[in-house]
Amino acid sequence: MAALPEDLSGVGTHRGNNPESETGQTVRSPTGPDPNATEAQPAPGLFLVVRAPSEERLSIQAHSAQAEVDGPDDGDEVGRYRTVDALRAALADLEMSEYVAVFEDAEANRVLVEDDVSGQHAWIGTPRYPQITLFREAEKARAFAKAHEFPALNA
């Protein structure tokens, strides 16, 4: 800290003019949400949807809510979603009935191929399936599942 000038005391009270209580300015603050309406809910995660450039393939990658995720290395980012409901709403626009899904089951260390998939599928958005890959062709989905390092079910 810089030394105090000699003409000021090191202890004491402020003896200058008191600040004005009215400044002539109007300060406005936006009204926030009603705190009694709903309780705040933490984001369950970050869901990244990526479209592969070479094939008709989509992937849904689930990350922790605190993850700092860069854009995809390969493919085009379709969107980032913080809630399962937002993810499901985005998937509803993609006509998922045309896709076959390969779910990577992290808990059981396996992959599952599911022909009947929609944006409302019960497994979408659950931490047990951190990677879901969607294919337009069932043969490509099954080949992907067989080439995967986990044993494939329903393939």
Side-chain angles (χ1 to χ4, degrees):
M1 182 170 167
L4 293 173
E6 290 185 24
D7 61 342
L8 293 177
S9 73
V11 291
T13 60
H14 173 70
R15 299 204 187 277
N17 296 335
N18 289 329
E20 296 180 26
S21 59
E22 293 292 325
T23 61
Q25 295 179 345
T26 302
V27 179
R28 295 183 185 197
S29 176
T31 304
D34 181 9
N36 297 323
T38 59
E39 290 186 25
Q41 299 293 324
L46 170 64
F47 303 99
L48 180 65
V49 179
V50 177
R51 183 181 309 277
S54 60
E55 325 176 20
E56 290 287 327
R57 180 174 81 179
L58 287 171
S59 68
I60 303 167
Q61 304 161 7
H63 303 277
S64 72
Q66 297 84 15
E68 294 291 328
V69 179
D70 293 331
D73 293 333
D74 187 31
D76 300 321
E77 185 176 315
V78 176
R80 292 173 185 242
Y81 308 97
R82 291 282 180 184
T83 65
V84 175
D85 291 336
L87 173 64
R88 290 178 188 272
L91 294 176
D93 296 337
L94 296 176
E95 299 176 18
M96 289 187 58
S97 62
E98 300 175 6
Y99 287 95
V100 176
V102 178
F103 291 88
E104 296 180 20
D105 187 344
E107 289 180 22
N109 198 28
R110 64 183 176 183
V111 295
L112 302 165
V113 179
E114 182 70 31
D115 293 329
D116 185 25
V117 67
S118 72
Q120 299 303 316
H121 196 285
W123 295 349
I124 292 176
T126 60
R128 183 172 181 161
Y129 305 99
Q131 175 84 22
I132 303 167
T133 309
L134 304 164
F135 295 87
R136 286 205 184 265
E137 298 178 23
E139 297 82 28
K140 288 186 179 183
R142 287 176 179 33
F144 177 82
K146 285 182 182 179
H148 205 278
E149 58 191 61
F150 300 139
L153 295 181
N154 303 336

